[in-house]
Amino acid sequence: MDQPRQGTIEADIRNLSDEATRQRGKKMEYLEMCTRKNMLSVATGAGAIYLLYKTIRAGLNSPPFSLEPVSIARLAIEPGNFGVKDSGELRRLLVSLNQKQDDYSKSMILHSITRCVYLLESEASACTYEDIRQVASALDDKDKGIKIQALNALKAFAGIRKFKIKIQEFVPKILELVTTIWDTELHVAGLRLLNGLPLPDHTHPLLRRMIPSLMEILQTGSTLTQVQVLKLLSNLAQKEDLLYDIMNCQVHPDFLNLFHASLPGNLLYEMLVFVEKLSEGRLTPQYQSVHWEYNELSLHEALFGEDSHLADRLLSLIIHPEEEVQIQACKVILSLQLCKEEEAKFSRQRIDCSYFDEDDNP
């Protein structure tokens, strides 16, 4: 073999050797990356398995009443549960509630009961008054979270007609919780429950004493709380024997700030409904037949007094972006105008009566 050809072959061999070396290097690098990736996956998987193990272990150590939300939802949508078949889940939870539980477990039981009542209507309807009393007994628990869950559960039961009257028995306790514990979540839960219940006449004396506290919640609470307390106050304003107590209730000097156009539309709407109910109450012959006296800082003076600036606030709400607020503002303006006309008419009648009374007396 000649010398040049041998040199070419040797060069080709070196090139192939170098290429093989590069390929082995890339393969090793790739394998190393894969190994690192796999190690990360293994580590992540191990962490997930450990967390899953802790969750399962916690579930095993907890009382047997524990129920995941998905399971309750599944019970509600399974075809068999629309018929006569009873899953027994709600009954199992109520039995567990009667047993000694720690605060967290008791709270979760009540939460699950609430979900079951909403989702398993037939089972909820089969409950007894004793079951309602058992749930309501949690209102006396020292733990605030348990009180809240009990209020939510009672609210769910109150959606069933036959339980409304029974739950009325607990109105005094509900009002006590709402007016003595300053907590947004508890306020919302308690007020929603009260708004879902009829308030019979025998509760009015208690409600009368609670009006100042409810008015304070309106002026200082969160938006959710304010909306709920306004719904309650609008209902109470339609009770003839409570109207004056609401009108004469003392309010903050800046009360009309609750009509500021920058506030949420749902809050403004409920404020306007409240004012409309108060205005309508003032128009009744029974209310106008009495010469009422109001203190200077009363709700009446803030809304309907000679120095009130309510009219200015209402004009700004007529152009509010939300149509619902606009319409309600117009209703209040018309109601106020009608109220002024009726007051003037009633005042003239009283003057005429006084005049004839003087003529009758020699």
Side-chain angles (χ1 to χ4, degrees), residues 35-54:
T35 302
R36 290 175 180 172
K37 182 177 180 181
N38 291 338
M39 288 296 292
L40 180 60
S41 299
V42 170
T44 304
I49 291 171
Y50 176 69
L51 292 176
L52 181 60
Y53 161 76
K54 289 189 67 177

Side-chain angles (χ1 to χ4, degrees), residues 255-281:
F255 182 82
L256 291 184
N257 286 345
L258 290 171
F259 294 89
H260 199 282
S262 63
L263 293 175
N266 61 335
L267 174 57
L268 290 171
Y269 174 79
E270 294 299 338
M271 277 297 302
L272 292 168
V273 169
F274 178 45
V275 176
E276 183 184 20
K277 299 303 180 186
L278 293 174
S279 184
E280 289 175 352

